[in-house]
Amino acid sequence: METMTTGMTRRHFGTAAIAAASLLSSRSGWAQEDLPKGPITLVVPFAAGGATDVVSRHVAKKVAEQINQTIIIENVTGAGGVVGATRVAKAKPDGQTLLMGTISTHTINPLMAKQPPYDPVADFTAISMIVTVPNVLLVPPTSKATNVKELIAMLKAEPGKYSYGSSGVGTPPNLSGELMKTMAGVKMEHVPYRGGAPAMNDLIGGQIPILFDVLSGAAPFIKAGTARALAVTTKKRAGSFPDIPTVAEQGLPDYETYTWNAIFGPPGMPAAMTERLSAEFRKATLDADVKQRLIELSGEPVGSTPNQLSAQVRAEIAKWGPIIQAAGLKAE
């Protein structure tokens, strides 16, 4: 658990006040009472040191400076994010307990579970999408495939011969592979691993010929040349690797997958508080230093409104439900 506080100098306060006035001018009715009454706990439903944890700490630190309140980062692990998400879904709607949710907590896990412990829409207050992170399609440097079209041709020439690895059943990289199978009309057996690191080791070692991974985790291996990146899975190229084309550019124009981090609160939070927190998280996300750090982590800073985040979650559920059902993916 980590506490983030702020002690503003006169210069810093003046700078923050000017920025805040610009952002919040249309919300002149906002006051201190629109913020939570005490310290805010931001629940990170994954282990410390992971990508979600790192993003959370950068953004929370900036928000704490902006609102001059304490934000405590609490890592609540278990069941692929379900334990931490469930805790927030059952918290008081006072804004003092928030969640750094992901596509796993708000789309994949609920769709895979036989009896979901929460409703990803009804049991949360959407606040702001922080960042999206591409997945990436990788092969060993010795592979004959140098682009997506060549890879698809290989898979069609010898159906069932090739397998692909991912960080586990139901993870965003797993869904990236399943979506490619559906859209390209190819066969690949899925080889699930307990995390991206062992999967990458087997790709480098030649045990698997194809790997879908989160770009932030694969970045060091791409830079070192030990893994060849054929494509990122977002519609736009990643700012951290602008030379890697997208899957959509290479013959599958509607292909798009990614993971994301977004702020949610318990259900029933006051509208004024929700809007105020959303504005503060948007401001922090788009701060020059925070934005640059997120880009360095292979992310695409977003900073959405509550309505935009709510619509995004609904769209993700509609998109992935049929794919998860067709692939027979179930929570382990």
Side-chain angles (χ1 to χ4, degrees):
M1 188 181 295
E2 180 173 319
T3 300
M4 298 181 180
T5 58
T6 178
M8 284 188 163
T9 65
R10 185 176 300 169
R11 178 176 62 83
H12 287 145
F13 179 82
T15 302
I18 293 170
S22 174
L23 177 70
L24 307 179
S25 59
S26 64
R27 299 288 186 176
S28 57
W30 278 346
Q32 191 66 23
E33 49 264 33
D34 292 329
L35 291 169
K37 296 295 186 287
I40 297 170
T41 295
L42 179 58
V43 174
V44 177
F46 301 100
T52 297
D53 180 69
V54 173
V55 168
S56 300
R57 291 175 190 276
H58 280 297
V59 176
K61 182 175 183 293
K62 190 63 182 178
V63 173
E65 293 174 358
Q66 292 170 185
I67 65 175
N68 200 25
Q69 287 186 210
T70 299
I71 298 182
I72 301 166
I73 299 293
E74 185 173 356
N75 298 93
V76 181
T77 62
V82 169
V83 175
T86 301
R87 175 182 165 182
V88 176
K90 295 179 178 179
K92 294 179 180 179
D94 56 10
Q96 290 187 244
T97 306
L98 303 177
L99 173 73
M100 183 62 86
T102 70
I103 194 171
S104 293
T105 62
H106 278 71
T107 303
I108 299 173
N109 289 337
L111 288 172
M112 288 175 52
K114 186 175 182 180
Q115 293 182 312
Y118 54 77
D119 183 312
V121 175
D123 290 342
F124 295 89
T125 296
I127 296 176
S128 183
M129 175 76 76
I130 302 300
V131 65
T132 60
V133 182
N135 298 313
V136 60
L137 170 58
L138 303 154
V139 295
T142 55
S143 175
K144 294 179 181 179
T146 61
N147 56 53
V148 172
K149 288 184 177 180
E150 290 178 356
L151 179 65
I152 291 174
M154 284 173 48
L155 295 171
K156 288 186 174 180
E158 299 181 271
K161 177 181 178 180
Y162 298 97
S163 60
Y164 78 93
S166 82
S167 52
V169 173
T171 59
N174 176 200
L175 296 190
S176 295
E178 294 304 312
L179 185 61
M180 176 165 282
K181 285 166 60 175
T182 299
M183 293 184 67
V186 296
K187 293 183 178 180
M188 294 186 289
E189 181 183 353
H190 177 223
V191 181
Y193 288 81
R194 292 188 177 275
M200 180 63 76
N201 288 339
D202 274 8
L203 180 81
I204 294 171
Q207 279 74 47
I208 52 173
I210 303 164
L211 174 64
F212 285 88
D213 198 7
V214 177
L215 181 57
S216 53
F221 303 94
I222 297 171
K223 291 177 180 177
T226 51
R228 177 191 295 164
L230 300 187
V232 293
T233 64
T234 39
K235 282 289 180 69
K236 291 169 45 180
R237 296 191 182 196
S240 55
F241 288 93
D243 294 335
I244 301 177
T246 67
V247 174
E249 288 177 58
Q250 302 181 72
L252 298 177
D254 294 325
Y255 185 97
E256 182 181 28
T257 74
Y258 44 77
T259 187
W260 44 257
N261 296 124
I263 302 294
F264 296 88
M269 283 178 55
M273 181 181 292
T274 299
E275 292 291 343
R276 176 66 185 274
L277 286 172
S278 181
E280 297 294 350
F281 275 100
R282 293 200 303 273
K283 178 182 171 186
T285 299
L286 300 177
D287 171 80
D289 291 339
V290 174
K291 186 175 181 179
Q292 181 58 38
R293 184 59 182 140
L294 294 176
I295 291 172
E296 290 171 357
L297 292 168
S298 298
E300 181 72 27
V302 180
S304 77
T305 66
N307 286 341
Q308 288 170 332
L309 174 55
S310 181
Q312 180 74 30
V313 172
R314 293 175 188 274
E316 299 280 11
I317 291 170
K319 173 181 177 177
W320 291 113
I323 295 170
I324 287 173
Q325 184 175 14
L329 302 179
K330 300 184 185 301
E332 296 179 327

